[in-house]
């Protein structure tokens, strides 16, 4: 359904990323409202899942979330917290926020544990997280429980989106060059 611009639970303000979950609901990264909403089919309003207290860097806050996805292994919800240079993880009900990758609002950079303006995320079937790290023009892979990432593709130009197919190929939206590129998955 068409939505109006706003901040109530029936509105979105610059939605950026979304994913569909097993019950048919959509998880939506409502970027300019600094929150994640769960929207069930045919419901007039969404449910506030993550990003409480307005824009900020505390564990319960988000700053311009740009994407959201679900870990296929445990159902946890991952959020690309772009301006905080981190990926947050929540239980499926939005509780227990924790940093899954990256540092924080004052820890952006290009070291293996850092991100700089992450734009998009996805998981593979083994639960490894892939991050389109736009400020560093690279794709980082994070294995379960490891805050140190591995660069699997670099030298990109303004990456905006990422996905992994069933054959473990990496697809990246490279908006700076106005194209989508495919890479084979490098070995671990």
């Amino acid at each position: 359904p068409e939505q109006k611009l706003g901040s109530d639970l029936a509105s979105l303000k610059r939605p950026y990323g979304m994913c569909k979950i097993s019950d048919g609901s959509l998880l939506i990264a409502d970027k300019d409202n600094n929150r994640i909403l769960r929207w069930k089919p045919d419901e007039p309003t969404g449910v506030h899942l993550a990003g409480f207290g307005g824009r900020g860097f505390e564990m319960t806050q988000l700053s311009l979330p740009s994407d959201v996805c679900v870990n296929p292994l445990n159902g946890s919800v991952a959020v690309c917290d772009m301006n905080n240079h981190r990926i947050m993880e929540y239980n499926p009900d939005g509780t227990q926020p924790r940093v899954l990758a990256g540092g924080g609002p004052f820890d952006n950079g290009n070291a293996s544990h850092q991100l700089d303006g992450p734009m998009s995320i996805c998981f593979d079937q083994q639960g490894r997280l892939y991050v389109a790290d736009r400020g560093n023009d690279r794709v980082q892979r994070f294995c379960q429980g490891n805050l140190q990432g591995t660069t699997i593709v670099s030298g990109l130009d303004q990456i905006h989106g990422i996905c992994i197919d069933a054959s473990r190929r990496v697809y990246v939206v490279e908006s700076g060059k106005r194209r989508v590129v495919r890479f084979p998955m490098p070995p671990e």
Side-chain angles (χ1 to χ4, degrees):
E2 188 173 331
Q3 302 300 317
K4 62 183 185 200
L5 178 67
S7 59
D8 61 34
L9 292 176
S11 305
L12 300 170
K13 189 174 181 185
R14 206 162 166 229
Y16 233 67
M18 69 177 176
C19 70
K20 188 174 182 181
I21 59 177
S22 61
D23 70 356
S25 297
L26 293 177
L27 298 179
I28 302 170
D30 189 9
K31 188 174 178 184
D32 283 0
N33 282 322
N34 301 293
R35 66 185 181 184
I36 304 299
L37 293 180
R38 176 181 291 151
W39 215 299
K40 292 186 177 185
D42 302 318
E43 290 290 325
T45 61
V47 174
H48 199 151
L49 184 73
F52 294 93
R55 184 175 177 178
F57 57 86
E58 300 297 330
M59 292 296 284
T60 58
Q61 295 176 305
L62 298 170
S63 182
L64 304 179
S66 57
D67 204 5
V68 59
C69 67
V70 174
N71 187 326
L73 293 184
N74 60 18
S76 66
V77 176
V79 175
C80 197
D81 191 7
M82 185 179 73
N83 251 27
N84 284 327
H85 311 290
R86 66 186 180 189
I87 309 303
M88 294 297 293
E89 183 179 39
Y90 303 85
N91 290 349
D93 63 358
T95 60
Q96 299 297 315
R98 55 207 171 270
V99 176
L100 184 60
F106 310 109
D107 191 31
N108 59 309
N110 62 5
S112 65
H113 70 283
Q114 294 175 311
L115 299 170
D116 188 1
M119 287 296 291
S120 183
I121 52 178
C122 67
F123 286 98
D124 65 18
Q125 291 303 311
Q126 289 73 38
R128 291 177 289 244
L129 174 70
Y130 296 83
V131 180
D133 188 11
R134 184 175 180 151
N136 288 314
D137 297 318
R138 67 184 181 184
V139 173
Q140 288 289 93
R141 175 175 53 205
F142 292 88
C143 295
Q144 287 280 333
N146 191 347
L147 292 175
Q148 299 292 321
T150 301
T151 301
I152 63 167
V153 179
S154 62
L156 300 167
D157 186 12
Q158 297 179 24
I159 55 176
H160 188 81
I162 184 171
C163 70
I164 310 294
D165 70 13
S167 298
R168 292 186 35 88
R169 290 176 291 216
V170 181
Y171 294 83
V172 177
V173 175
E174 198 174 9
S175 60
K177 293 185 179 173
R178 297 177 186 91
R179 66 182 185 172
V180 174
V181 290
R182 181 181 71 195
F183 301 95
M185 182 68 68
E188 287 190 46

